[in-house]
Amino acid sequence: MTHDREGPRLPSPRGRISAAVKDRLLGAGPLPRPEDVAGADAYGDDLQLALYLCYELHYRGFAGVAADHEWDPDLLRTRAALEHRFLVALRADTPVHDTVEDALAELLVEPVGGTGVTHFLCAEGELWQLREYAAQRSLYHLKEADPHAWVLPRLAGRAKAAMAAVEFDEYGGGRPDRLHARLFADLMTDLGLDATYGRYLDAATAEVLATVNLMSLFGLHRALRGALVGHFAAVEITSSPGSRRLAEAMRRTGAGPAAEHFYDEHVEADAVHEQVVRHDVIGGLLAEQPHLAPDVVFGIDATGHLEDRFAAFLLSAWRAGRSSLRTPEFSEISHIS
């Protein structure tokens, strides 16, 4: 077996399921029992970390883990059980709109007197809270656009061309220094964070792991291509106003030019992307495959459901004066003024 020499280190387990998956990746021990997976908290640390470990094998893997594990049949069966537990919970817990038009219409309206995370950070967030937010979000932003790229072979015609155009922008328009993942790494450097890929996996909470796992779940399954398109629409439509608030938060706290630039870039780019995704990606997909409309709605609404859970967790911790991160090693970083 060929072992990856690069890649992030494996994180500490958070329960029996993630411990078993980690042991398997290191070549020892049985995988989790089906009854353990079936009885696990679908949104909890143990299941979400185990699922993240399985999914990361399809991205950059982990240092010291055999590359062959990506297609280990037993591990794939465990991943399927974890996915089933997660997906069943999402379908049961996510309030869904009746139509795609209804779901999109709600995304397009900015609530008066918004109280979300970006509103909080813009109005009163401190630098340590911006650092925590960046550390948590780094699990996605350091591989920004990668989960969505999996949908490209599953689209055709207008939807495929439009999705590829948006992804091209996300990947820097052919310029490596403009890759959005690179821009986020620069933001992290401005904030005094370690921009190494996967560095903050141990610190990240189950709530943010779930938001990243959702993208991988939708992206890796052709049957969920409509949900992936819905997810992408939700991200792009809500990105521009949220990024505007975060850019202002970075300026107000003196976070640094690269920190400001990452969100300024998204204000401009995602305002254009939103139009393309709505009219050409969703419009093109449903013109050819109208039966996927309920999946698009589910993708939009499941994204909102998990983002709301993450936001509630962050705001609860911060308003109580607590760190939102799991590991004590970040206490000094978190409260630098």
Side-chain angles (χ1 to χ4, degrees):
M1 285 189 177
T2 301
H3 288 71
D4 287 315
R5 296 182 179 179
E6 299 180 354
R9 64 178 180 83
L10 281 166
S12 300
R14 304 184 188 180
R16 293 167 60 181
I17 298 170
S18 53
V21 170
K22 179 179 178 178
D23 287 347
R24 179 60 170 246
L25 295 181
L26 293 174
L31 284 164
R33 299 179 303 169
E35 55 267 32
D36 288 340
V37 174
D41 177 357
Y43 306 111
D45 276 299
D46 196 20
L47 184 141
Q48 289 298 324
L49 179 61
L51 192 52
Y52 189 94
L53 294 178
C54 292
Y55 284 148
E56 192 59 33
L57 300 175
H58 300 290
Y59 294 101
R60 302 192 195 179
F62 294 97
V65 172
D68 293 348
H69 278 308
E70 181 179 7
W71 302 111
D72 177 341
D74 293 332
L75 196 55
L76 289 174
R77 278 190 284 273
T78 294
R79 194 192 87 188
L82 294 167
E83 289 175 326
H84 178 74
R85 180 76 186 93
F86 185 32
L87 191 55
V88 166
L90 282 172
R91 291 198 184 279
D93 298 339
T94 301
V96 295
H97 289 84
D98 292 331
T99 67
V100 173
E101 291 74 18
D102 290 344
L104 291 173
E106 185 165 323
L107 290 179
L108 289 164
V109 175
E110 274 277 283
V112 177
T115 57
V117 169
T118 61
H119 293 87
F120 173 88
L121 291 173
C122 181
E124 58 184 293
E126 299 179 29
L127 196 54
W128 68 271
Q129 292 162 332
L130 289 169
R131 288 187 173 107
E132 290 198 353
Y133 185 74
Q136 298 252 30
R137 288 295 196 189
S138 69
L139 295 190
Y140 167 62
H141 281 305
L142 291 180
K143 57 172 170 252
E144 187 165 341
D146 290 349
H148 302 119
W150 277 318
V151 83
L152 286 169
R154 293 152 184 178
L155 301 177
R158 180 158 58 106
K160 188 187 195 84
M163 187 76 186
V166 175
E167 286 284 273
F168 184 64
D169 284 350
E170 301 285 346
Y171 287 129
R175 293 176 52 187
D177 60 311
R178 301 290 299 165
L179 283 162
H180 283 192
R182 176 69 260 168
L183 298 181
F184 194 80
D186 294 340
L187 170 150
M188 295 181 74
T189 300
D190 260 5
L191 289 172
L193 298 172
D194 186 343
T196 303
Y197 182 91
R199 170 66 178 83
Y200 295 109
L201 179 52
D202 267 322
T205 60
E207 289 78 9
V208 79
L209 289 180
T211 68
V212 183
N213 285 339
L214 184 73
M215 303 180 213
S216 301
L217 171 65
F218 290 164
L220 283 166
H221 291 272
R222 186 172 62 86
L224 294 172
R225 64 195 180 279
L228 190 282
V229 166
H231 176 277
F232 193 58
V235 170
E236 295 299 318
I237 291 171
T238 59
S239 174
S240 187
S243 293
R244 184 177 292 106
R245 288 187 286 272
L246 289 169
E248 178 55 34
M250 295 296 177
R251 275 187 280 275
R252 182 177 56 76
T253 58
E260 296 172 21
H261 177 66
F262 177 81
Y263 289 112
D264 282 335
E265 170 74 13
H266 281 69
V267 171
E268 200 169 314
D270 291 343
V272 176
H273 293 171
E274 173 252 306
Q275 297 287 328
V276 176
V277 173
R278 280 198 298 129
H279 296 297
D280 294 318
V281 180
I282 292 180
L285 175 68
L286 296 184
E288 294 192 4
Q289 301 181 72
H291 65 281
L292 293 179
D295 290 339
V296 174
V297 173
F298 175 65
I300 293 171
D301 290 333
T303 301
H305 172 63
L306 292 183
E307 287 293 336
D308 287 347
R309 292 183 79 258
F310 181 45
F313 173 81
L314 288 177
L315 293 174
S316 175
W318 290 343
R319 284 173 175 151
R322 300 192 311 269
S323 170
S324 68
L325 302 176
R326 294 187 72 256
T327 51
E329 64 184 293
F330 297 98
S331 58
E332 291 183 4
I333 286 179
S334 294
H335 292 88
I336 294 173
S337 60

